[in-house]
Amino acid sequence: MDSIAILDFGSQYAQLIARRIREAHVYCELFPWDAQADQVLGINPKGFILSGGPASVYAPNSPGIPAYVIRSDLPVLGICYGMQALTHALGGIVAPTDEREYGPAELVTTSFNPLIETGNHKVWMSHGDRVETLPEGFAVLARSENSPAAFIGDIERGYFGVQFHPEVRHTPQGGIFLQRFVGDVCGAKPDWTPESIILESVACIQHQVGESRVLAAVSGGVDSSVAVALVHKAVGDQLVSVFVDNGLLRQGEVHQVIAAFSQYLGIELVTVDAIDEFMTRLAGVSEPEEKRRVIGEAFIRVFEKQAEKLGQPSFLVQGTIYPDVVESQAADRSKVDRIKTHHNVGGLPQDLHFDLVEPLRYLFKDEVRAVGEALGLPSELVWRQPFPGPGLAVRCLGEVTPKRLARLRAADEILIAELANAALLVVKVEGETIQGTAQAFAVLLPVRSVGVMGDQRTYQEVIALRAVTTEDFMTADWARLPQDLLARISNRIVNEVQGVNRVVYDITSKPPGTIEWE
């Protein structure tokens, strides 16, 4: 399978480059800029993409292009800092400019190139440095108002650099631009499809586990369900799935999960009541990272007990997906800040007694759903609302208690029911995606506010509503819900949920916020 290697120089948006390449049905992997050569070249890339980053190439100890990239004689595309690093490495000059560009700009092509049509194009800029002198063999292919060399290239060698960001949606033609680079310039075949993912995953799983028994951690969410279906396709009856009722699930979720697995998947499912254990461990815990650590360890301990009863399986299946991995990576690995520790990535205990099987680890959410559909999973399972592994614990801000969880469940159920009635949940009907909120949920805040009910003063908790639209969950925008719908949801929550007297709506996009509050 053809692939592209993306070297990350510290951009918070490097993952978007990977998203756009995957959309072109070409496999790619994202590596730190200083990853070992054998690790990067091990995927046999057809070309390289260099991401943006916060540094300046002329600053001391700034990251540079690894020598193996140039020695490979493969095509290279540098984006923003990547362009400047490529220029610097090949003998050009990069300098600071007083005429910085942040936000929308107009790109004017000045000569023919294989990546973008001749004419003017809207692009997204974010830079304070620019190329002053081109490397030998390069020519200016396009300019903008403040960047005389906004797009440069050595077409013969397949080297290109762009000052703008083709990976963001604010550059309308950016997807086509990247597709032409990986397809026309690099010659990568578009063979990254749900079917090819399944074939490769099944082979990898079989090679990894052999004849061993495998334990699967089931949460009832999209990711864990697809992961279990993939592993079951690979190893059949070697798999035993364990569903842990930890008291952190949504309203009615336990019964829904059990019914889905028995009706649609035909997979053995062991249900474990661990509510008391999780509540005991979470008592007095309010810090988000500590919650995730506690929950991650509690899950593993429950699975270890089940493993003893099931003959000590050596492997544990998890529904870890790429955004989990990206957000959990420490700065010394990815050169970007860790956003939060996902309970099933950085939150696992050190003394883990299982080898992990994570068939979705390098897939984005939309790819996971496509794989689920290709495996024959029902739409109601594949397109259900995403749910974090730590469950309602990261939506119940502050201390997690049974009483506060019950309050949160009731509010969340009202929100989802009203969105469903208004046809504002993303679903797929007869092959067509119905656009709406990609993810929506209620958050219980650890603050109280004064209110009045029945002429009496109240001092009760606050519910925040969160609803977002997104394609890949790496970025998201807040959903513009109708005001009358918000009013109806708020009215129902205040009247029907005991202990809540105020409802607010979160209008924060990702970034700067994350989708979940914790």
Side-chain angles (χ1 to χ4, degrees):
M1 183 181 296
D2 291 343
S3 65
I4 299 293
I6 304 169
L7 300 187
D8 182 9
F9 286 87
S11 171
Q12 292 283 5
Y13 305 105
Q15 302 79 26
L16 290 180
I17 304 173
R19 281 294 309 118
R20 304 302 167 242
I21 304 307
R22 298 279 185 89
E23 288 171 359
H25 300 295
V26 173
Y27 181 72
C28 62
E29 281 194 32
L30 183 63
F31 300 94
W33 66 270
D34 57 353
Q36 294 297 313
D38 57 352
Q39 181 186 9
V40 179
L41 298 177
I43 69 169
N44 296 314
K46 303 283 284 186
F48 296 92
I49 297 179
L50 316 176
S51 85
S56 294
V57 295
Y58 47 78
N61 301 317
S62 59
I65 300 176
Y68 66 79
V69 172
I70 303 301
R71 288 199 304 265
S72 71
D73 289 327
L74 294 172
V76 180
L77 170 62
I79 297 173
C80 199
Y81 180 87
M83 169 197 189
Q84 296 160 13
L86 181 64
T87 297
H88 186 73
L90 297 176
I93 297 176
V94 177
T97 174
D98 293 331
E99 298 175 335
R100 300 182 177 186
E101 285 182 301
Y102 296 101
E106 186 169 281
L107 186 76
V108 181
T109 58
T110 56
S111 60
F112 167 80
N113 70 83
L115 302 184
I116 197 168
E117 304 291 342
T118 302
N120 297 2
H121 302 273
K122 293 180 180 179
V123 297
W124 187 262
M125 294 281 195
S126 180
H127 67 97
D129 296 334
R130 70 183 186 187
V131 173
E132 295 287 351
T133 304
L134 300 183
E136 184 178 353
F138 277 70
V140 173
L141 304 178
R143 58 178 171 78
S144 68
E145 183 177 359
N146 291 328
S147 294
F151 178 14
I152 63 174
D154 181 337
I155 297 177
E156 183 176 342
R157 286 194 288 177
Y159 287 173
F160 298 93
V162 292
Q163 193 62 74
F164 59 92
H165 287 270
E167 70 271 28
V168 302
R169 293 301 187 193
H170 297 85
T171 301
Q173 297 298 310
I176 297 174
F177 182 95
L178 291 170
Q179 183 175 346
R180 289 178 174 174
F181 174 73
V182 301
D184 298 344
V185 176
C186 298
K189 299 183 185 68
D191 50 12
W192 178 249
T193 63
E195 293 74 19
S196 69
I197 294 171
I198 292 171
L199 287 174
E200 184 170 332
S201 296
V202 166
C204 289
I205 294 165
Q206 291 172 340
H207 176 74
Q208 180 183 5
V209 308
E211 301 297 323
S212 301
R213 296 200 76 193
V214 182
L215 192 66
V218 176
S219 70
V222 177
D223 306 329
S224 72
S225 298
V226 174
V228 169
L230 256 179
V231 176
H232 186 257
K233 183 177 180 65
V235 302
D237 292 340
Q238 293 172 232
L239 174 70
V240 178
S241 299
V242 175
F243 175 48
V244 178
D245 182 2
N246 56 9
L248 303 172
L249 302 173
R250 292 170 287 196
Q251 199 83 357
E253 193 151 30
V254 174
H255 300 297
Q256 294 169 9
V257 171
I258 294 173
F261 267 71
S262 61
Q263 182 178 352
Y264 297 117
L265 299 180
I267 297 174
E268 180 183 356
L269 183 65
V270 177
T271 303
V272 180
D273 184 345
I275 296 175
D276 290 343
E277 180 172 350
F278 275 78
M279 291 300 103
T280 299
R281 287 175 175 267
L282 285 168
V285 178
S286 59
E287 203 280 322
E289 288 291 283
E290 181 65 9
K291 282 183 187 177
R292 292 174 179 273
R293 188 198 65 77
V294 167
I295 292 168
E297 181 173 1
F299 267 122
I300 293 301
R301 300 312 172 211
V302 170
F303 294 137
E304 286 174 345
K305 292 177 183 177
Q306 290 305 306
E308 292 177 4
K309 299 177 182 179
L310 298 169
Q312 294 290 356
S314 303
F315 296 92
L316 177 66
V317 180
Q318 291 196 142
T320 307
I321 65 173
Y322 207 16
D324 297 341
V325 176
V326 170
E327 290 186 341
S328 297
Q329 283 178 326
D332 62 347
R333 288 185 59 198
S334 66
K335 306 301 181 285
V336 296
D337 288 341
R338 180 173 60 210
I339 308 302
K340 57 189 175 185
T341 299
H342 285 261
H343 81 290
N344 56 340
V345 184
L348 294 174
Q350 295 296 319
D351 58 337
L352 188 64
H353 298 152
F354 299 98
D355 289 326
L356 295 180
V357 179
E358 298 176 311
L360 311 180
R361 188 176 179 86
Y362 294 104
L363 300 186
F364 291 93
K365 179 72 75 173
D366 57 318
E367 293 175 317
V368 172
R369 283 182 163 141
V371 168
E373 290 183 322
L375 286 167
L377 299 183
S379 291
E380 54 264 38
L381 192 59
V382 173
W383 287 89
R384 71 179 306 185
Q385 282 280 300
F387 192 55
L392 295 180
V394 293
R395 296 176 180 176
C396 184
L397 277 58
E399 185 178 6
V400 179
T401 67
K403 182 180 290 187
R404 297 190 76 223
L405 287 169
R407 195 170 290 158
L408 176 57
R409 276 193 199 92
D412 189 75
E413 186 179 33
I414 290 171
L415 170 63
I416 298 302
E418 290 293 341
L419 288 175
N421 289 338
L424 286 174
L425 294 179
V426 169
V427 295
K428 202 163 190 179
V429 179
E430 296 181 354
E432 293 296 327
T433 302
I434 309 301
Q435 293 300 323
T437 56
Q439 187 168 359
F441 53 89
V443 180
L444 183 62
L445 305 185
V447 296
R448 295 178 181 272
S449 71
V450 174
V452 56
M453 292 181 180
D455 296 327
Q456 292 185 333
R457 178 186 185 273
T458 61
Y459 188 54
Q460 297 177 337
E461 290 191 297
V462 179
I463 283 286
L465 304 178
R466 179 72 158 148
V468 300
T469 58
T470 180
E471 293 181 354
D472 50 38
F473 290 85
M474 292 306 306
T475 62
D477 195 11
W478 60 277
R480 272 62 169 176
L481 297 181
Q483 292 184 9
D484 59 343
L485 174 61
L486 287 171
R488 185 163 61 252
I489 294 169
S490 174
N491 185 63
R492 283 195 60 189
I493 290 174
V494 170
N495 281 280
E496 298 176 29
V497 181
Q498 190 175 9
V500 173
N501 68 353
R502 191 176 298 271
V503 177
V504 298
Y505 187 51
D506 183 352
I507 58 170
T508 311
S509 298
K510 176 187 179 180
T514 55
I515 294 178
E516 298 288 345
W517 277 45
E518 289 190 345

